[in-house]
Amino acid sequence: AQSVTQLDSQVPVFEEAPVELRCNYSSSVSVYLFWYVQYPNQGLQLLLKYLSGSTLVKGINGFEAEFNKSQTSFHLRKPSVHISDTAEYFCAVNSGGSNYKLTFGKGTLLTVNP
Amino acid sequence: NAGVTQTPKFRVLKTGQSMTLLCAQDMNHEYMYWYRQDPGMGLRLIHYSVGEGTTAKGEVPDGYNVSRLKKQNFLLGLESAAPSQTSVYFCASSRSGSQFFGPGTRLTVL
């Protein structure tokens, strides 16, 4: 079985500061990894994904994530955040099954303060 | 393209009532999913479908039924609503890997 742990439920930061949202996963097989963002009262939007190849993945809105197989982590980073980045962020894993099911973490609420 | 749409956006039910949530996608995706989102719980998979005419149980299927009679539509039914089913329901579709989500349905069961 696969599982996802998002280590911080809330992360407050000031505008223009760097941020890292942490995600660890457990799976006995190769994985596909995703980060989604949810703005208030909206659905989830894909930020970035790791399927294979380079372990550093770049996504939309200046976010990037690094896949670390030895540490089973997929942390999300942004060097300088904006007020508009305030949202909930979800890490998700798929173990490559043919049904493409995702297991989600419980989410990290990023609050960017002026 | 509208992507993934959900109907209705909001609904209030009384305990014991039934209802159906409709999900439609115009991306010709094979796979469709229903999730519920509760505070502090992330998204939990209720049921999913790998193609027209097929359905399968997810992590929290009890109290829900689904049907996929047409490739573009995935229906979620509540036969006898309970207060524990108060939640925000999201539908998603996928061809491979990435899932695309609808805007959600906020359901309150009194």
Side-chain angles (χ1 to χ4, degrees):
Chain A
Q2 55 196 26
S3 66
V4 177
T5 303
Q6 292 185 240
L7 296 155
D8 305 293
S9 60
Q10 298 186 51
V11 174
V13 294
F14 288 109
E15 194 173 19
E16 297 184 6
V19 71
E20 178 180 81
L21 306 184
R22 298 179 292 168
C23 172
N24 286 91
Y25 68 92
S26 66
S27 175
S28 58
V29 297
S30 298
V31 295
Y32 301 150
L33 293 156
F34 305 82
W35 275 100
Y36 283 85
V37 59
Q38 184 180 32
Y39 298 104
N41 300 313
Q42 294 188 24
L44 277 71
Q45 180 182 358
L46 181 66
L47 263 183
L48 49 79
K49 60 186 177 185
Y50 170 79
L51 303 181
S52 64
S54 173
T55 57
L56 183 62
V57 179
K58 293 189 184 298
I60 62 172
N61 300 340
F63 284 93
E64 64 181 31
E66 185 157 19
F67 171 57
N68 188 318
K69 187 174 182 179
S70 63
Q71 297 187 2
T72 61
S73 67
F74 191 54
H75 301 333
L76 181 70
R77 301 186 182 98
K78 186 171 182 178
S80 177
V81 294
H82 303 289
I83 298 284
S84 58
D85 292 322
T86 294
E88 190 150 27
Y89 293 78
F90 293 94
C91 182
V93 63
N94 167 268
S95 293
S98 60
N99 53 36
Y100 299 107
K101 289 193 299 179
L102 292 178
T103 299
F104 284 85
K106 294 185 177 181
T108 297
L109 178 62
L110 173 65
T111 304
V112 181
N113 298 300
Chain B
N1 288 348
V4 180
T5 58
Q6 293 183 232
T7 308
K9 287 184 170 49
F10 304 92
R11 187 73 187 267
V12 178
L13 290 179
K14 294 181 180 178
T15 297
Q17 287 185 319
S18 63
M19 78 162 292
T20 300
L21 282 66
L22 171 64
C23 176
Q25 53 96 3
D26 61 3
M27 296 174 283
N28 201 34
H29 287 170
E30 290 293 334
Y31 308 96
M32 296 187 75
Y33 313 83
W34 274 108
Y35 294 89
R36 59 177 290 170
Q37 183 180 29
D38 303 291
M41 301 292 290
L43 277 76
R44 293 180 292 169
L45 183 64
I46 304 172
H47 286 281
Y48 64 99
S49 168
V50 300
E52 182 179 319
T54 74
T55 63
K57 293 181 180 180
E59 181 186 353
V60 288
D62 293 343
Y64 304 96
N65 57 76
V66 288
S67 64
R68 182 107 182 262
L69 298 180
K70 293 183 179 181
K71 186 178 184 178
Q72 63 267 34
N73 295 337
F74 195 29
L75 278 64
L76 177 71
L78 285 72
E79 295 176 342
S80 179
S84 60
Q85 294 177 306
T86 293
S87 187
V88 182
Y89 292 86
F90 287 101
C91 176
S93 72
S94 170
R95 181 168 48 239
S96 63
S98 308
Q99 291 186 15
F100 296 86
F101 285 80
T105 294
R106 186 173 296 273
L107 175 66
T108 301
V109 183
L110 303 176

